[in-house]
Amino acid sequence: MEHKFLNFESIDILDGFWCRKQEMLRKTTVWAVYDRFKETGRFDAFKCDKNSEIKPHIYWDSDVAKWIEGASYLIKKSPEPKLEEIIDEVVDNIEKNQLPCGYFNSFYIAIEPQNIFKNRDCHELYCAGHLIEAAVAYAEATGKTKFVDLMIKYVDYIEYRFKIKGDTGFKTPGHEEIELALVRLYKFTGERKFLDLARFFVLERGKSLETALTDWANESYLQSHMEAKKQDKAVGHSVRATYFYCAMADIALLDGDEELKSACEKIFDDIINRKMYITGGIGSTHHGEAFTIPYDLPNETAYSESCAAIGLVFFAHRMLILTGEKKYADVIERVIYNGFLSSISLDGKAFFYVNPLEIVKKNHTRHKSVNFSDHLPPMHRFEVFDCSCCPPNIVRFLGSFASLLYTYNESGIYLQQYASSKAKFKIDGKEITLIQKTSYPQNGKISLISDTDVTVFVRVPEYLGDLNFAKNGYVPLRLVANVEKTIEFELPTMLIEGNPKILAAAGKVALARGSVVYCMEGCDNESELFNIRINKNTDFIHGFDNELGVPTITVSAFIREDSDALYSPLSQSRKEIFAKFIPYHAFANRGETDMQVWTLVE
């Protein structure tokens, strides 16, 4: 059954875990990203000065656009005059340098005007998509429409060149994004032509062979190996893929396209049943930042890009709205507490592009001539990257996070994610204010109070399995006006094993409390991490790390005694120790050290 979602603008996060993250975003992260983008020339690129010492890159427009989108969400919730001033300057530069036909891209206008719409994999339509989303977000936040008007002019030119005239060097985008941006523009303006153009780009994909700029960017990498409605597996670049699947789901919903819906369901199941890390990360190889074969989920060389985690949440949220099925909300919870949160430092200033499940410090110190791997994960986060798509994506994701909390339909309100909040609904002409109180993920207690009689369906977390008092994975609570009602879920601490087909997890376990996956770091433990074997009959000792400000779990474990012998007969001799774990999302905040999620067990 289809659902509607409640937009973040109708929700106030009141306190607790996610409130602290959003305060960090407003006070620190949005400015940290701006400062790095300003000093690297990304904002000045919109001046389109071909004589500038700093030359723009093909994807810089998208970096700034995502930042604008995220900043707009902050403005929507609370006035931020300085942010508006920065954005208005960017919009003025776009207006000043936009070509008469409507085209705008800082790189091509300043550097390669002769190559406009000739190279499929040079991000022109990707940048256009993010500019469109930023323009809509800014208009919704401020009421200023100049940015949107400029982008509509650009979209009309894109429609003319790609759909009407068809004289471009490629038919569909190399990096998907404009498709779902056009859907958003359609929703904002009500003009059907924007949805039709989105549908055009989606359905044209895979109909004919389109060459890419590089040899390794093949048709599967670009999700162009077959037509959208025939696809049933997740392939290629994981961010491009999830953005494409988002657009497929959008059109399936808006046009009632059952074939696209079926394709999305099959693709999603392929991801979560064969190609997703326990942290919710996707895209297991750095070669093309891509999906590979089923169960190929290495730990140390995991790519698991931050933008891919965000893309999976976007896809899951659309599928939740399209179908109303609980499993999509379960995946969102897995990602947001693990593979997404690991992408940003605890102080909100630095970021991971990739999110590995293991760090082996000694592998970073090997002599250069030893070709251990052509990809090793960094041991610390960075404030900016050459390809800095992730930091502003994190800004816009955190800024609109509350949109994940609730859906609703004629049956009532569905509580999909847990966070202390005040939400205002308008359902069938009736206004409803719902307050949720919780300390999740610290505990599983959730209290609800409404100013109107209403039924709230509370999602049962995935880790609890099927509860006999739940209906389709939700516990129905009938709220009487102004009477608080409480439900409390157990928050189990458990050892988890992976499918034995996952070679990197074979013979090992991961530790989780509820949906929060934990890891060990070398700085917390007396032995090399890879010598530690968890006692499978261990008790769990819960604590708190004051330095990190996160909960900890200590378990009993064994290590083999140190020896100078390179090889020894198998021995049962073990030393008992205690091993300390922290939430996975908190790793790499205390300097360079070993880390692992999957641990030996005996």
Side-chain angles (χ1 to χ4, degrees), residues 228-246:
K229 293 182 180 183
K230 297 178 182 179
Q231 296 191 26
D232 59 1
K233 294 179 178 61
V235 300
H237 188 283
S238 55
V239 182
R240 300 173 193 238
T242 50
Y243 284 13
F244 183 53
Y245 307 148
C246 283

Side-chain angles (χ1 to χ4, degrees), residues 25 60 65 77 90 155 238 252 267 325 351 381 400 544 586 600:
L25 170 66
W60 274 11
K77 297 299 293 183
V90 173
V155 170
S238 55
I267 291 166
E325 291 185 29
F351 311 91
R381 296 171 181 82
S400 58
F544 194 82
L600 295 168

Side-chain angles (χ1 to χ4, degrees), residues 39-108:
E39 68 186 23
T40 55
R42 282 168 165 83
F43 279 87
D44 286 340
F46 283 79
K47 297 176 182 177
C48 299
D49 180 4
K50 64 180 180 181
N51 297 315
S52 173
E53 292 183 5
I54 301 177
K55 303 302 181 185
H57 198 280
I58 57 173
Y59 46 62
W60 274 11
D61 287 4
S62 67
D63 291 346
V64 173
K66 280 181 281 189
W67 181 89
I68 291 175
E69 184 183 343
S72 297
Y73 297 147
L74 296 179
I75 295 168
K76 181 70 175 178
K77 297 299 293 183
S78 180
E80 290 280 357
K82 179 61 177 176
L83 291 179
E84 281 196 52
E85 180 183 329
I86 294 167
I87 296 169
D88 286 342
E89 182 179 352
V90 173
V91 175
D92 288 345
N93 280 325
I94 293 174
E95 181 182 37
K96 179 180 177 181
N97 295 292
Q98 187 174 36
L99 299 184
C101 61
Y103 180 88
F104 182 83
N105 181 289
S106 65
F107 173 81
Y108 280 98

Side-chain angles (χ1 to χ4, degrees), residues 107-318:
F107 173 81
Y108 280 98
I109 289 174
I111 308 299
E112 294 185 9
Q114 73 278 11
N115 287 324
I116 288 174
F117 292 152
K118 289 185 178 179
N119 295 322
R120 188 185 188 204
D121 204 32
C122 281
H123 291 65
E124 283 170 281
L125 296 184
Y126 170 76
C127 287
H130 279 303
L131 286 169
I132 293 165
E133 292 211 71
V136 172
Y138 194 52
E140 290 174 338
T142 65
K144 300 176 183 178
T145 59
K146 181 166 76 170
F147 195 2
V148 166
D149 292 340
L150 295 171
M151 289 303 104
I152 288 174
K153 185 178 180 182
Y154 188 10
V155 170
D156 287 343
Y157 181 65
I158 291 170
E159 180 188 39
Y160 172 70
R161 291 292 305 277
F162 282 87
K163 187 178 178 183
I164 298 172
K165 194 174 182 182
D167 67 341
T168 51
F170 53 96
K171 295 181 180 180
T172 59
H175 194 313
E176 299 94 332
E177 155 61 22
I178 194 173
E179 301 90 339
L180 51 92
L182 288 166
V183 171
R184 186 168 184 178
L185 187 60
Y186 158 71
K187 291 178 179 178
F188 180 74
T189 64
E191 293 192 39
R192 175 75 196 193
K193 66 178 181 179
F194 301 131
L195 180 60
D196 289 343
L197 184 56
R199 186 177 181 87
F200 169 80
F201 280 134
V202 168
L203 297 187
E204 281 296 307
R205 205 170 196 86
K207 284 189 175 180
S208 59
L209 185 67
E210 295 189 68
T211 56
L213 184 64
T214 53
D215 292 337
W216 52 268
N218 58 31
E219 297 305 307
S220 293
Y221 167 86
L222 297 165
Q223 297 77 49
S224 295
H225 57 297
M226 64 176 64
E227 295 178 32
K229 293 182 180 183
K230 297 178 182 179
Q231 296 191 26
D232 59 1
K233 294 179 178 61
V235 300
H237 188 283
S238 55
V239 182
R240 300 173 193 238
T242 50
Y243 284 13
F244 183 53
Y245 307 148
C246 283
M248 290 169 59
D250 279 339
I251 294 169
L253 177 65
L254 292 169
D255 282 352
D257 193 318
E258 290 296 323
E259 290 179 288
L260 279 177
K261 177 184 176 183
S262 177
C264 287
E265 289 173 326
K266 293 172 184 176
I267 291 166
F268 194 91
D269 286 346
D270 181 54
I271 292 173
I272 65 171
N273 293 323
R274 303 173 189 88
K275 296 172 181 174
M276 182 180 72
Y277 283 98
I278 191 173
T279 58
I282 55 172
S284 57
T285 176
H286 72 286
H287 289 292
E289 307 178 7
F291 294 105
T292 60
I293 60 175
Y295 310 106
D296 178 31
L297 297 167
N299 292 327
E300 187 181 13
T301 59
Y303 207 73
S304 191
E305 188 190 341
S306 301
C307 286
I310 292 171
L312 181 57
V313 172
F314 288 165
F315 182 29
H317 192 229
R318 283 164 167 79

Side-chain angles (χ1 to χ4, degrees), residues 460-480:
V460 178
E462 177 186 23
Y463 50 80
L464 293 180
D466 297 324
L467 302 182
N468 56 15
F469 55 86
K471 181 180 180 182
N472 296 322
Y474 294 87
V475 177
L477 294 181
R478 184 62 185 173
L479 298 185
V480 176

Side-chain angles (χ1 to χ4, degrees), residues 326 330-331 333-334 459-466 515:
K326 168 185 171 289
D330 288 334
V331 170
E333 181 173 358
R334 179 181 296 274
R459 179 180 60 87
V460 178
E462 177 186 23
Y463 50 80
L464 293 180
D466 297 324
S515 288

